[in-house]
Structure formats: C-alpha cells, structure tokens
C-alpha cells in the first residue's frame, strides 16, 4: 500500500498548504495487480484503462470503471531489485516496464502404482514437468541479460506419495525489457517443452494466460521526474522495471511515469521486503514536486 | 474392498454349507494402508500386529487393537502389475513383498520477485526440487531390475506464478525386492539430493517417514496356496509383490500368505483399475480351498 499512502500524503500536503492545482488528482488503489487470485493480472487497472475486453457485456460496473481520460499517470513503487541499493541511491526514474508473458502448462501422463510400475514403462507427468522446469531455467540463463523465466507453482495429480503422477500443472512466467526478447525466450522454452513431452510420451497443453508488451514511460514525464529528483538534491538515475505494474495498463489511457524507491537487498514478494522510512519520506517529497511540475505541461 | 468382500464370501460359503472349521476366522478391513491420509502407512494393521510403537501410552484403543495371536494371515489383492496378465493367468501365489522406504523432502531457497530477481542470483527451491525429481528417476533407471523410485507429490511455496519459489516440498518412495537394494538406491538418491542442494545453495531436509523391510510370505502357506490353485485346475505361478500390503505388517504377528488376482494392463491407483468378474470368482473359490486346507497345519 506504500504507493497509495504516498499519493494520499501528497494530496494531504497540498491541502494543508491550501494549494489548489489546475487539474484534479485522483488516487487509485488497484486490486490484484499480481494476478495471484485470478488468472488475469491487473484486473482493476484494466477496467479503469478500458482494456478489460473479455468481460461480458452486462457487467456494468466494469464498463463504468473506465476513466474518461487523463493527461498523466504516476505510480510509486519499491524497486523490487538491487540496482538502487547497489548505487547507494534512494530513488530512481523508471524508463519503462519489461514485457511479460505468462502461461499455464498441463502435462498428461499415466497414473500408476509406485511399487509395481516399472521405471521403463512409466509415463510420469511430474518427472516430465521437472525436466521442463529445469529447461525453463536453463533457457533463461542461456539467453542472459535481463531475461528471466520462472515456474512459481506446481502440483502433481492425483498427488499421493505412492502413485506415479498422471498429471502435472505449473505456471511459466517469462520477462524481458524488449518485446522481441521476451517472445523469443518464451517461444524457445515452449518449443523445448514440446520436445520433452514427445520424448517422454506425455501430452502437453500450453495456455497463454497473458502477454503484456513492454511499456515505455513517457519521455516528457521522465524529464519532469528527473527534475523533481534533482530538486530534492538527489542524483538522477534512470532504470528499467523488471516487474509488471498497473502503469503498463494505464499507458493505454494516458502518458505514464513511475518512481522507484530503494528496497533492502532487492527482496520483494517475501516477508523480508523492507525499505527505509527516510526513503519513503524522500519519495513523498519528490512526488509532490513532480505533481506540482505537471502544471507546466498541463498549461501547454 | 475386493479383498474384504472375498473374505466375507468365503465365510458365507462355509456358513451356507453348514461347515465349521477347527479355528476361528476373522475378517479385517484395515484403514489407510496407503499412507495417503496420514504420514505413516498401514496404521491400522500396525495396531493389530502390535507394532504401532509411536502411539502415546494413553491411546487405549490402539493397545486394545493388538491381536492376541493367530496362526495364519491371508490377504487377496489385485496384482497391480502386468505379470499375470502377460502370462494369461488369473491368479498367482505371492512369494513376498518388496522393501519400501518413504521420505518427506523439504528444499529451502529464497523467495523473490519473478521479474526482478536475476537468474544468476536466484536460489530457486523448485528448480532445485526439479533437479532432484529427475535424479531420483535417473538413479532408479540406472539401478535397474525391480528397483523403483517415485515422487508422487510436490508443492512450491509461497506458490504464486510471479514469485521465485523459496520452498519446495515433495515425497520420495523407493522400493526393491531385496532390503539391501532398496537401501542402496535410497542412499544414492539422497546423496545426489545433497549434492544438488550444495551446488544450488539451497537447504535440504530429509525426513524418513517409514522404512518397511522386505516381507517374505511363509513357505508352508505358499505350498498350500499352490495346492489351492492346482485344486481349481489352475497353473501354479509364484510372483513377488512390488507394492506394500498389510500382510507385511501382519508378518510380525503370524505367518502370512497372499493371493494375487490378474488386473487389466497392470493399472492400479487409477480410475481405470479393472479386473474380470470371473477372476474374482476363481479367487473366492481358491481362497475357500486354501482356508479349508489350513486345517492340515492347524491340526499339526
């Protein structure tokens, strides 16, 4: 909720100072950005951006969530990576968000008794999935650079200690700063999955859950963010986001900007996630400075 | 429930014929032989055999379940393997049950953001587990013969598509007809797990859930079973059981015998498990013949 709190603090500071800007400020707390609860990530920001196309026609609430239009979107977030900490910097200007593809993978083998099914006669769906999980890791390592592939969930079916798995289900998440790199890595991994399935005599089902293109931040807004950082006496640092954010969805609605805040050891999605209170304070002041500077472009 | 039904049918047949044998017949429907619901397999037969040592002293029901003594135990079961079907035989005399070891494996890595944690900096518990699952398969294949190793369940934690897994939990089941082969295979797999954990910088925890020695059936009872098969006009066939059965627990109480019944394609632990009604009928008649022949040794 840090990003939301920072937005509220900025508006509160403007209110306390009796300042009114020439444009309205809206603060959004989007739900399930992660796609952890529902198969589609960033559900609510999609609704606001008006890009939630798969919703049935009579879901009026989703239709009404569509924003009538905005001239800028700002999102603050911990970096979730080690770059700012390594550089000894509290804040950074985000240049854009990496492309992301996510898949649901199903492997179908043949369930059998763990004691009586000879190793050579097995069609073990989990062993096949294990080979695929390793392959995803190897392909991403071989691709190098900012390219990553992750299998975050897996289940074996029927799922008993003494049964050779007849089914395995897992997720595959692939990211890269450039769309082409992301697509190439995803394609090569899925190709290898197919080869493994063929060799092992198991079925493979690949469900493309979503494909989010790389989302560059707006150059003019990046310049304003650099200015806000400099205005607070901070060294300007620009960096790409390996993580997806609602900003990539909102870019369909208006130009976007993002501010990254240093976090401890780059740890995120983990109870050990942590940032310094003074960094949060600096972020609030930088955001307020950025928001005020929007008057320059809103007037134009 | 086939084994239980066959026992009931045999007693019903004796009752209908007005026959009373010189010894009592008890029919047991043991619970959770598989160890699918509780970490320890064959819980209830252990209670009857009096080998459920880990139960707290005040669990009187378990103490009272202990059998005061028997002179023979008979268990009928589908083969769960392809041997009888391949030989065109309905029934076979079991020579003994393979040794079995079961382990709970925990791998501890470091959870992280799937988009921002560089591949080279990951300590991915699931990727490590995947390497271990493949190793278990490879070691069992290399060992050959009747030796098998199975990973039937796996979960990744925290378990979201966009989080590098910080934990993975899976089961390992190892079996072989001879105790020494089973122990050697389990040891070599666990050794390899340790090597994988060391290379990948993840923690490894191995919990030995149970170790069941190979359980040979009683030679005298096997001879009686062969006689019952021959008495029904069937060719005598002896075979080992790769699957564990309550008989291996009851062998602590008294001599044991087992009758195997042909099943379709050796499929078991699977909804496609199937046997012929005429084979079940033959099994009931063979069991009745076997039970009556016990009078020969009970008199002695």
């Amino acid at each position: 909720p840090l990003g939301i709190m920072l937005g509220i603090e900025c508006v509160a500071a403007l209110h306390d100072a009796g300042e009114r800007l020439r444009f309205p400020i809206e603060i959004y707390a989007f739900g399930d950005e992660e796609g952890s609860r529902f198969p589609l990530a960033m559900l609510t920001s999609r609704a606001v951006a008006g890009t939630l196309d798969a919703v049935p026609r009579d879901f009026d609430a989703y239709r009404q969530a569509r924003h009538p239009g905005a001239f800028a979107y700002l999102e603050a977030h911990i970096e979730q990576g080690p770059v700012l900490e390594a550089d000894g910097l509290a804040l950074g200007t985000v240049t854009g968000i990496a492309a992301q593809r996510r898949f649901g993978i199903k492997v179908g083998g043949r369930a059998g008794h763990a004691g009586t099914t000879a190793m050579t006669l097995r069609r073990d769906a989990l062993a096949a999935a294990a080979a695929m999980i390793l392959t995803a890791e190897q392909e991403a390592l071989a691709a190098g650079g900012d390219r990553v592939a992750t299998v975050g969930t897996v289940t074996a079916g029927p799922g008993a200690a003494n049964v050779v798995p007849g089914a395995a289900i897992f997720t595959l998440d692939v990211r890269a700063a450039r769309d082409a790199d992301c697509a190439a890595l995803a394609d090569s991994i899925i190709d290898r999955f197919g080869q493994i399935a063929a060799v092992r005599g198991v079925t493979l089902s690949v469900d493309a859950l979503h494909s989010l293109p790389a989302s560059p931040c707006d150059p003019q807004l990046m310049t304003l963010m650099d200015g806000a950082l400099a205005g607070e006496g901070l060294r300007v640092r620009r960096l790409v986001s390996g993580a997806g954010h609602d900003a990539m969805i909102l870019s369909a609605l208006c130009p976007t900007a993002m501010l990254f805040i240093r976090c401890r050891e780059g740890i995120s999605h983990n109870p050990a996630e942590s940032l310094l209170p003074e960094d949060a304070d600096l972020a609030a002041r930088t955001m307020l400075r950025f928001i005020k500077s929007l008057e320059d472009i809103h007037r134009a």
Side-chain angles (χ1 to χ4, degrees), chain A residues 124-264:
Chain A
D124 183 331
L126 179 55
M132 293 175 191
I133 292 169
L134 283 184
T135 287
E137 182 189 49
Q138 288 158 1
E139 291 284 315
L141 276 166
D146 55 23
R147 284 157 281 197
V148 291
T150 305
V151 175
T153 74
V154 64
T155 54
N162 57 347
V163 184
V164 178
I169 298 176
F170 61 94
T171 53
L172 172 69
D173 177 295
V174 180
R175 307 191 199 195
R178 301 195 321 136
D179 289 332
D181 290 343
C182 184
L185 178 55
D187 286 349
S188 74
I189 290 172
I190 302 287
D191 275 357
R192 290 281 305 274
F193 284 6
Q195 292 165 16
I196 291 167
V199 167
R200 287 178 169 268
V202 297
T203 61
L204 175 68
S205 155
V206 177
D207 190 11
L209 299 180
H210 67 239
S211 172
L212 301 173
S215 173
C217 289
D218 181 71
Q220 192 177 23
L221 295 181
M222 282 195 273
T223 301
L224 291 184
M225 187 64 79
D226 289 349
L229 286 164
E232 290 296 327
L234 300 171
R235 180 149 74 84
V236 171
R237 176 72 158 90
R238 291 187 169 192
L239 71 170
V240 72
S241 171
H245 296 285
D246 289 302
M248 66 202 296
I249 301 300
L250 269 295
S251 68
L253 182 72
C254 63
T256 61
M258 282 195 74
L259 176 66
F260 262 179
I261 308 164
R262 168 171 58 189
C263 61
R264 188 162 59 81

Side-chain angles (χ1 to χ4, degrees), chain A residues 51-63:
Chain A
T51 58
L52 197 55
D53 301 322
V55 172
R57 292 206 170 186
D58 51 349
F59 273 53
D60 286 341
Y62 282 105
R63 302 282 156 223

